Amino acid sequence: MDFLCIAHRGASGYEPENTLLAVRKALEFGADGVEVDVYNVEGELMVIHDDTLERTTNGRGTVAGKSAAYLRSLDAGKGERIPFLREVVDAVAGRAFLNVELKGPDTALLAKDLLAGKDGVLVSSFDHRELARAAHCGIPVGVLWTRPPRGWEKIVSGLQADSVNIALHSVRLPFVEKAHALGMKVFVYTVNNPADIERMRGMGVDGVFTNFPDRV
Ligand code: G3P
Ligand code: MG
């Protein structure tokens, strides 16, 4: 069975997270997939993880309320700009699958506009209402949880999810087996330690999100 290597925020262990440099580095490593996080900025999806700017850029304050022009003027590390999702789509260009994690409101329909009809895309989110909008448009979806709640089976079936994406600390073998029995893949984040990578492989999960794709 396949065990997929998904570069988390690009190859973020090596290059500034969620930049085109990190995406290209992941492709150089031959990652099977690339995960990025997106916000709606003035009707375009921009690639950044936090809802504030300080940790990953030289900007200040929240992403919400900023113009795309302002965000594009910032340094996201090594002189990189905060990418538009469309630039990431072009960079990946079918060389890996693309997992777009929706952060913040009003992102699903914009993702649909960019991704509908493309092979090798997965939209995921902790915001299951936003995710339902993507699923409704026929985009493959992954349901994100840090820990699956009671009744998770109903939620993933309701969304007709392709995968359930959960945190490393909450993965248990019976959960993996149940998800597989329901026809769902299990992807686990964020798995950087080689021993954990091997443990996940042994448990039969379908792939891991890692900052260090060369370790998988
Ligand atoms: O999609 C997996 C992982 O990226 C979810 O958490 O906070 O790193 O976006 P986070
Ligand atoms: Mg993410």
Side-chain angles (χ1 to χ4, degrees):
M1 196 174 69
D2 280 352
F3 181 71
L4 299 181
C5 169
I6 308 164
H8 182 241
R9 312 179 193 175
S12 58
Y14 298 99
E15 298 293 356
E17 68 176 52
N18 281 323
T19 62
L20 290 175
L21 261 189
V23 169
R24 291 195 192 104
K25 188 76 177 176
L27 297 172
E28 264 171 51
F29 281 132
D32 301 296
V34 176
E35 184 256 6
V36 294
D37 309 284
V38 299
Y39 287 83
N40 178 346
V41 180
E42 296 185 317
E44 275 225 75
L45 292 176
M46 294 190 78
V47 179
I48 182 168
H49 178 274
D50 297 0
D51 59 5
T52 51
L53 296 167
E54 283 80 355
R55 185 180 62 85
T56 60
T57 77
N58 58 346
R60 300 185 62 152
T62 59
V63 173
K66 299 292 188 299
S67 68
Y70 170 72
L71 294 179
R72 286 292 275 190
S73 76
L74 301 177
D75 184 343
K78 295 191 176 175
E80 287 288 294
R81 301 290 142 200
I82 297 174
F84 289 108
L85 179 62
R86 59 179 155 76
E87 296 177 297
V88 172
V89 171
D90 288 346
V92 171
R95 294 167 66 196
F97 80 85
L98 179 61
N99 175 200
V100 176
E101 185 188 338
L102 308 177
K103 303 271 193 200
D106 303 321
T107 41
L109 297 182
L110 295 176
K112 182 212 82 176
D113 289 344
L114 274 179
L115 304 177
K118 281 197 157 61
D119 286 333
V121 296
L122 180 73
V123 166
S124 60
S125 191
F126 290 104
D127 179 340
H128 298 170
R129 273 198 300 189
E130 205 59 44
L131 204 54
R133 289 191 187 118
H136 187 71
C137 300
I139 309 271
V141 298
V143 184
L144 264 167
W145 278 300
T146 49
R147 178 180 295 275
R150 227 175 253 282
W152 63 270
E153 299 93 331
K154 257 197 171 155
I155 299 170
V156 293
S157 300
L159 286 165
Q160 295 188 299
D162 271 37
S163 71
V164 46
N165 305 357
I166 63 171
L168 176 62
H169 64 79
S170 63
V171 186
R172 304 283 181 275
L173 183 59
F175 170 81
V176 175
E177 291 174 342
K178 186 73 194 282
H180 284 165
L182 291 169
M184 224 114 14
K185 296 191 179 74
V186 178
F187 297 130
V188 179
Y189 65 91
T190 305
V191 193
N192 291 328
N193 178 316
D196 288 327
I197 293 170
E198 285 321 301
R199 195 161 58 80
M200 290 301 102
R201 203 191 290 274
M203 215 183 263
V205 312
D206 301 276
V208 289
F209 296 91
T210 182
N211 299 347
F212 302 92
D214 54 322
R215 294 183 186 172
V216 177

